[in-house]
Amino acid sequence: MARILDCLVIGGGPAGLTAAIYAARFHLSVRVIDAGASRAGQIPCTRNYPGFPEGISGPDLLGRLRDQALKYGADIVEGHVDALARRDDDFLITTSVDVEQSRAVLLATGVTNRRPPMAADLHAEAVATGRLRYCPVCDGFEVTDQNVAVIGAGSGGVRETLFLRAYTRRLTLISPDGFQELTPKDRRALEAAGVELLDGPVSDLRLEDEGLSLDWAGGRKTFDTVYPALGSDVHSDLARGLGAALTADGCVKVDAHQRTSVSGLYAAGDVVIGLDQISHAMGEAGVAVTAIRNDLDARAPLRRP
Ligand SMILES: Cc1cc2nc3c(=O)[nH]c(=O)nc-3n(C[C@H](O)[C@H](O)[C@H](O)COP(=O)(O)OP(=O)(O)OC[C@H]3O[C@@H](n4cnc5c(N)ncnc54)[C@H](O)[C@@H]3O)c2cc1C
């Protein structure tokens, strides 16, 4: 095992890489271990991330963040963290390649969106061309007045559909399990918004010149854009393994400084309950690493050698 790190960051998306920039500029020794599946890597062009009036692609933004972190001395390695354990006041981190020891750990492991049934290459092309979208907060503006479908069950699907009614009147909600569970209040709100309700499940999704077509229980339809609202899997297993408090949805609970309920363990970005946005993930990372810096300083005063 190499030297004891000040801060080990798990995840190299916008949260993890921002954390690395802050930590390196605080003169903390910092290593990012990243499995390489940032949700930001799927973004063809984000237009709501401030400072880029023409937009910027997710991979381009991640590349810039990586360059900035490396410039100040952060270490970024590819790998997967398989286990986290305590060693006295520190942490032992077992990765796919090594075992690390660190005084503080920041979880920036994000979430994975559940996908409709379609092959990975078709999914990637549909996202790249804006036919499939995952985040109306991010890109609802881009579907203004388009013919939009939401695939979603329960209150999540209803919420996402009603959110989109401020962008377009041409809305369809397709529920994989039908609408028996719909509350009278939700049904009234969907009716008032003129939302067409279709029974799922959906299958045979195909890219067409004019949109994305799919089979539903009653036939075949084409939409300009489809939003899956099927929920997400939160990557909080490492926190759970250490006994950290989680929300009912599995997000890591943090205080106002991004501290989890486990001393020395911090969390930022989508893995924490929040807006699930790049700017929010980055803000949380800045807060977290400043807390890490100050907490380490309280443990043993930080001094230039
Ligand atoms: C199609 C799409 C479009 C989007 N558009 C926008 C937009 O326009 N604007 C906007 O603000 N947001 C957008 N988002 C949301 C945005 O991508 C996320 O909010 C953001 O990426 C969250 O950053 P994060 O660092 O928390 O997590 P992520 O970016 O998901 O990064 C988490 C990283 O942790 C790694 N990881 C997980 N577990 C481990 C482990 N055990 N060991 C090592 N590494 C691990 C993953 O591989 C991944 O690289 C979009 C998302 C999608 C899917």
Side-chain angles (χ1 to χ4, degrees):
M1 196 182 333
R3 66 190 168 136
I4 301 175
L5 292 162
D6 291 321
C7 178
L8 187 121
V9 178
I10 308 176
L17 293 172
T18 302
I21 295 167
Y22 273 65
R25 288 180 52 81
F26 285 145
H27 291 306
L28 300 178
S29 58
V30 56
R31 175 166 300 156
V32 179
I33 299 178
D34 181 37
S38 167
R39 285 212 304 145
Q42 297 178 51
I43 306 175
C45 180
T46 170
R47 294 187 171 82
N48 76 339
Y49 179 66
F52 291 88
E54 305 309 321
I56 180 168
S57 81
D60 189 1
L61 181 63
L62 289 172
R64 288 171 186 236
L65 293 171
R66 221 174 278 127
D67 289 349
Q68 194 174 349
L70 292 171
K71 175 177 173 180
Y72 292 107
D75 185 20
I76 304 173
V77 294
E78 263 178 49
H80 186 271
V81 173
D82 299 326
L84 255 186
R86 290 237 69 139
R87 173 181 277 187
D88 304 322
D89 288 342
D90 298 340
F91 294 89
L92 269 193
I93 303 105
T94 307
T95 79
S96 40
V97 285
D98 211 347
V99 177
E100 313 268 0
Q101 187 166 346
S102 183
R103 297 187 173 89
V105 170
L106 174 69
L107 282 176
T109 41
V111 305
T112 302
N113 299 118
R114 294 191 199 123
R115 299 177 171 190
M118 58 201 296
D121 55 345
L122 174 63
H123 181 273
E125 199 182 341
V127 171
T129 51
R131 298 306 192 188
L132 198 66
R133 297 178 182 271
Y134 279 91
C135 173
V137 171
C138 311
D139 51 26
F141 187 90
E142 272 64 50
V143 304
T144 298
D145 294 331
Q146 288 189 2
N147 180 18
V148 174
V150 174
I151 305 171
S155 57
V158 173
R159 259 200 323 273
E160 191 138 325
T161 309
L162 293 176
F163 185 84
L164 281 160
R165 75 186 180 303
Y167 296 99
T168 180
R169 289 173 161 274
R170 300 158 69 204
L171 276 173
T172 302
L173 174 59
I174 311 172
S175 172
D177 313 315
F179 293 96
Q180 298 81 355
E181 305 289 308
L182 215 55
T183 64
K185 187 175 169 226
D186 283 345
R187 194 174 286 278
R188 280 196 303 276
L190 290 167
E191 266 170 29
V195 175
E196 186 178 7
L197 303 183
L198 299 184
D199 286 324
V202 299
S203 60
D204 195 18
L205 287 93
R206 280 190 230 155
L207 267 178
E208 314 284 357
D209 287 343
E210 67 281 16
L212 192 68
S213 66
L214 52 80
D215 279 344
W216 61 288
R220 190 156 187 88
K221 278 217 168 211
T222 302
F223 300 94
D224 295 321
T225 294
V226 174
Y227 280 89
L230 300 167
S232 303
D233 296 313
V234 185
H235 302 147
S236 54
D237 290 358
L238 296 169
R240 181 182 285 113
L242 278 177
L246 306 181
T247 68
D249 295 334
C251 291
V252 182
K253 284 191 181 174
V254 291
D255 71 7
H257 298 274
Q258 307 299 130
R259 297 184 187 100
T260 72
S261 61
V262 173
S263 168
L265 182 68
Y266 305 75
D270 288 358
V271 74
V272 171
I273 197 141
L275 195 55
D276 285 6
Q277 291 282 284
I278 298 168
S279 53
H280 198 226
M282 289 176 163
E284 288 182 339
V287 171
V289 179
T290 306
I292 289 172
R293 186 245 167 253
N294 291 340
D295 292 347
L296 289 177
D297 190 47
R299 203 168 132 181
L302 298 169
R303 279 203 192 93
R304 287 301 285 161

